[in-house]
Amino acid sequence: MSAMLDAAGAVKVRELVVEGATGPLAARLYTAGAVAKKDMLVVFFHGGGFDSGDLEKADDFLRSLAECDHYPAVLASTYTLATVSPFPAAVEDAHAVLAWAKKNKTKLGWSGKYLVASGIEAGANLAAVCALMSRDRGGPALAGQILIMPMLDPALSTCSMRQMTLCADREKAATECAAAYRGYLPHAVDRSHPYAAPLHSSRLKNLAPALILSAEDDPLRDEAEQYGSKLINSGVCTTVRRMPPADLDLQDPNGRNECACKVHAMGEITSFLSGLEKRKGA
């Protein structure tokens, strides 16, 4: 385990190892502010289409999250990529990391009060599924879920995704999503499993409150908003926001993380976390 500060010395970052479903996983803990023990822990899963990505991809975003008004502890974890082992390896890892965090509160400097699952793109799929798994398996209890540009529909059936194939400079996005799902879900039967395709789940009641963010130029926006509507109709307290376009560069592997920072997502997340504290305190 090692620790380092950012250039401004405001955010402390610790490299550590957490336990996945079948073995150790690399992770990072981001903390800021003067409070030694945090009430809020946000566990974040990176993007990369299930078959790529690492802890560097969202580093700037996670530093900003750790510095938001409530100064949550932020645990960013890796997971088994589809190139190593396909579904359900990644989701089992993600749920195991949440369970590990609950058991290792002292090591994380966390009081154990609020646990939030979060992620971007493929990582947001894992966060959404963690909410389902935590409900189905009796824990760990989540205070909330934050889904940023989530991949929720292996069928790629929404209008916003299909429109990508009609635009020459954006068709690559749809092609890469299709390839990512082929690698993650090589068996056709898995594509309808609720732990792989949350959008098509028929059991969405009794889930943790959700914040779902997309952007006007995001090909995943329709599935994000449809999932939000299904959660609301199932009685789940849900906030859905479509952000303004943010000049998302589809050729830049870090573009999605940068977009999440640029379109005021941090303000929405801060407000959501504040609402979780008020709701639980009520």
Side-chain angles (χ1 to χ4, degrees):
M1 184 184 304
S2 61
M4 56 186 175
L5 295 177
D6 69 359
V11 179
K12 183 178 181 181
V13 183
R14 291 166 53 199
E15 304 281 348
L16 66 160
V17 175
V18 301
E19 280 298 318
T22 60
L25 298 168
R28 284 180 183 171
L29 180 68
Y30 296 77
T31 55
V35 178
K37 183 173 286 189
K38 309 292 187 179
D39 282 340
M40 182 85 66
L41 176 67
V42 179
V43 179
F44 181 91
F45 302 106
H46 63 75
F50 300 105
D51 57 6
S52 64
D54 54 37
L55 296 177
E56 289 296 327
K57 289 197 70 167
D59 183 70
D60 288 343
F61 176 76
L62 296 172
R63 289 173 184 270
S64 297
L65 178 55
E67 288 185 295
C68 79
D69 288 352
H70 296 268
Y71 290 112
V74 181
L75 177 66
S77 176
T78 56
Y79 49 86
T80 300
L81 298 177
T83 49
V84 176
S85 184
F87 175 84
V91 294
E92 292 293 350
D93 273 345
H95 185 257
V97 169
L98 292 175
W100 179 91
K102 195 72 175 179
K103 293 177 181 177
N104 290 271
K105 298 187 292 291
T106 301
K107 181 179 292 188
L108 298 173
W110 171 46
S111 69
K113 195 169 184 181
Y114 305 99
L115 178 61
V116 178
S118 67
I120 188 168
E121 190 221 28
N125 174 294
L126 302 184
V129 172
C130 278
L132 296 170
M133 297 173 79
S134 292
R135 176 201 62 191
D136 297 344
R137 299 180 180 183
L142 296 181
Q145 52 179 314
I146 299 173
L147 314 180
I148 305 169
M149 301 178 175
M151 294 178 68
L152 304 168
D153 176 27
L156 305 178
S157 59
T158 63
C159 290
S160 61
M161 182 58 71
R162 292 199 304 270
Q163 287 170 358
M164 293 296 100
T165 62
L166 304 178
C167 182
D169 64 344
R170 290 176 173 261
E171 184 176 3
K172 183 180 179 182
T175 301
E176 289 182 345
C177 279
Y181 275 124
R182 284 196 299 271
Y184 182 55
L185 303 168
H187 308 296
V189 66
D190 289 334
R191 296 200 164 204
S192 59
H193 196 294
Y195 289 176
L199 180 61
H200 301 293
S201 173
S202 60
R203 295 181 59 249
L204 296 177
K205 292 184 178 180
N206 303 315
L207 296 177
L211 172 64
I212 303 177
L213 302 176
S214 66
E216 185 66 39
D217 53 353
D218 180 16
L220 300 169
R221 68 181 182 273
D222 282 359
E223 59 199 83
E225 292 171 1
Q226 288 175 21
Y227 190 60
S229 294
K230 291 188 71 172
L231 289 178
I232 291 168
N233 291 336
S234 297
V236 178
C237 183
T238 304
T239 300
V240 182
R241 293 285 186 268
R242 181 190 293 192
M243 304 296 183
D247 299 322
L248 177 60
D249 183 358
L250 297 177
Q251 308 303 316
D252 179 2
N254 292 316
R256 305 190 69 76
N257 298 288
E258 292 176 1
C259 178
C261 287
K262 290 177 180 177
V263 292
H264 312 297
M266 202 56 62
E268 294 291 344
I269 292 172
T270 297
S271 178
F272 177 72
L273 296 180
S274 177
L276 295 181
E277 292 181 336
K278 292 177 181 177
R279 184 176 297 111
K280 192 165 183 179

